[in-house]
Amino acid sequence: MAAGGAADAQARFGHSVKGLLTEKVTSCGTDVIALTKQVLKGSRSAELLGQAARNMVMQEDAILHSEDSLRKMAIITTHLQYHSSKLSRPCSWNFPALFRLFWGGS
């Protein structure tokens, strides 16, 4: 009977070990799934951060281009104001003197 009791104890021990291994494998599988989800989430975050950085560079370039355009427009406005003020004055040219100057009359 002692041999039967020992065999029975070994069987229970074997089932106990199998049960513990099954729990550990299940736990490890769950941990691997959680880790995979976290890595994917981190990867997506990095992708979104990279896209935000690219968008920021594009916006900065557009702002610099706009700034340059505004500077050029200010220069053109100044020139137009200058010419407009010249055109609004009455003409005081001496046409006979200009004619003699260009065509050599006396």
Side-chain angles (χ1 to χ4, degrees):
M1 179 92 151
D8 190 36
Q10 278 185 331
R12 279 185 292 177
F13 179 74
H15 286 299
S16 174
V17 169
K18 286 181 184 177
L20 288 173
L21 285 174
T22 303
E23 286 178 29
K24 284 291 183 184
V25 168
T26 304
S27 175
C28 286
T30 304
D31 290 346
V32 167
I33 290 171
L35 179 63
T36 303
K37 287 179 181 179
Q38 191 62 38
V39 167
L40 291 174
K41 187 188 290 185
S43 174
R44 180 71 178 140
S45 296
E47 183 181 322
L48 291 173
L49 188 61
Q51 183 64 39
R54 284 190 293 275
N55 289 344
M56 190 174 195
V57 168
M58 287 173 44
Q59 288 297 321
E60 185 179 11
D61 188 47
I63 289 170
L64 291 175
H65 185 266
S66 297
E67 198 175 77
D68 188 46
S69 295
L70 285 171
R71 196 175 302 114
K72 289 176 183 177
M73 288 169 55
I75 292 169
I76 291 170
T77 301
T78 303
H79 285 296
L80 288 173
Q81 287 172 341
Y82 172 78
H83 290 295
S84 174
S85 69
K86 292 292 183 184
L87 289 174
S88 64
R89 287 193 224 149
C91 184
S92 61
W93 291 353
N94 184 347
F95 284 108
L98 285 173
F99 185 77
R100 283 192 299 275
L101 180 65
F102 286 109
W103 284 282
S106 52

